[in-house]
């Protein structure tokens, strides 16, 4: 049951306060990776290392080979990452030479009708290149002409089309075509971070209280319980 929003004093206080706090959190969350201090710092395969730095410990540069900067297999889809979506990430675990360079990429395959549900990457922008099929993608941010409202910037992309998601903004992709879709996505951080709106709000442990979520979503607690049960 969806109940209409109540215009009482609590809401009048809560809404601007929530917006202000959200604005602060998101402005601090936007960041770019620091510039490296050397041409490369290939990640050492040293699981016993007790040295902690911002990234991985560097391999001895004298032992670095061309293979440290390369990987293969992106001609094949990756592992399940949601209903009808698979992901093959290329980060420092696959290319040790990516360490400290502030960039990663991924191949994403989507069955017809399947979405990558709304999520954000706190530390990176994302360039989406569609190679096969038809994807709708978009991000949401404050409407420049009315910052108390939100605006969706979305497009339908076909093979060869590119769309960019600014850092930290909530976005989604969805295969809106009749056949499989494939995209290659590049992100400008070694560790972009992932905030999945639905599962983080409804599937955290411990859980956010029904009371808070029912007020946030302006529905009764039974509706919150129903949604929560899908993320258990
Ligand atoms: C993918 O590329 C690899 C070489 O990296 C090759 O061995 C393999 O056969 C290719 N697979 C497909 C399905 O094209």
């Amino acid at each position: 049951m969806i109940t209409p929003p109540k215009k009482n004093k609590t809401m009048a206080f809560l809404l601007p306060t929530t917006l202000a706090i959200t604005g602060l959190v998101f402005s601090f969350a936007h960041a770019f990776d620091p510039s490296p201090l050397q041409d490369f710092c290939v990640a050492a395969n040293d699981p016993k290392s007790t040295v902690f730095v911002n990234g991985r410990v560097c391999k001895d540069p004298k032992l670095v080979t061309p293979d440290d900067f390369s990987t293969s297999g992106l001609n094949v889809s990756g592992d399940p990452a949601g209903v009808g979506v698979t992901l093959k990430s290329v980060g420092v675990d696959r290319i040790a030479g990516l360490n400290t360079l502030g960039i990663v990429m991924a191949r994403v395959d989507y069955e017809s009708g399947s979405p990558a549900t709304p999520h954000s990457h706190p530390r990176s922008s994302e360039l989406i290149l569609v190679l096969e099929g038809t994807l709708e993608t978009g991000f949401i941010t404050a409407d420049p002409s009315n910052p108390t409202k939100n605006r969706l910037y979305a497009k339908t992309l076909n093979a060869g089309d590119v769309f960019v998601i600014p850092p930290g903004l909530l976005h989604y992709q969805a295969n809106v075509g009749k056949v499989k879709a494939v995209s290659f996505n590049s992100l400008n951080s070694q560790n972009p971070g992932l905030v999945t709106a639905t599962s983080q709000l409804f599937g955290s442990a411990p859980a956010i209280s029904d009371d808070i979520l029912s007020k946030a979503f302006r529905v009764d607690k039974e509706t919150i319980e129903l949604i929560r049960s899908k993320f258990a």
Side-chain angles (χ1 to χ4, degrees), residues 33-34 36 38-41 69 97-103 188-190:
D33 287 9
Q38 58 279 305
D39 284 352
F40 57 74
C41 165
F69 301 98
L98 278 176
N99 191 38
T100 78
L101 299 188
I103 188 168
N188 65 327
S189 171
Q190 174 158 340

Side-chain angles (χ1 to χ4, degrees), residues 72-73 75-76:
S72 299
N75 54 339
V76 176

Side-chain angles (χ1 to χ4, degrees), residues 1-6 11 15 213-220:
M1 282 288 291
I2 295 177
T3 53
K6 290 193 183 111
M11 281 306 292
L15 190 60
L213 287 182
S214 73
K215 282 171 183 153
F217 284 88
R218 305 177 190 189
V219 295
D220 56 34

Side-chain angles (χ1 to χ4, degrees), residues 213-230:
L213 287 182
S214 73
K215 282 171 183 153
F217 284 88
R218 305 177 190 189
V219 295
D220 56 34
K221 291 180 188 169
E222 289 69 32
T223 306
I224 296 298
E225 281 296 319
L226 174 66
I227 301 173
R228 200 195 289 290
S229 69
K230 315 282 184 192

Side-chain angles (χ1 to χ4, degrees), residues 97-184:
L98 278 176
N99 191 38
T100 78
L101 299 188
I103 188 168
V104 293
M105 71 182 297
R107 169 179 172 149
V108 192
D109 291 57
Y110 318 71
E111 297 301 329
S112 174
S114 294
T117 59
H119 63 278
S120 70
H121 305 291
R123 289 177 290 279
S124 84
S125 309
E126 178 169 7
L127 266 177
I128 300 170
L129 162 64
V130 176
L131 281 195
E132 276 178 44
T134 307
L135 275 190
E136 178 185 318
T137 183
F139 64 86
I140 301 141
T141 188
D143 186 336
S145 56
N146 182 355
T148 64
K149 301 275 186 205
N150 293 295
R151 183 161 169 197
L152 171 66
Y153 298 82
K155 275 194 75 124
T156 300
L157 312 178
N158 294 302
D161 295 343
V162 176
F163 193 83
V164 64
I165 309 292
L169 300 184
L170 208 52
H171 62 278
Y172 64 88
Q173 295 102 258
N175 181 348
V176 293
K178 289 190 166 50
V179 296
K180 185 183 137 160
V182 181
S183 71
F184 279 77

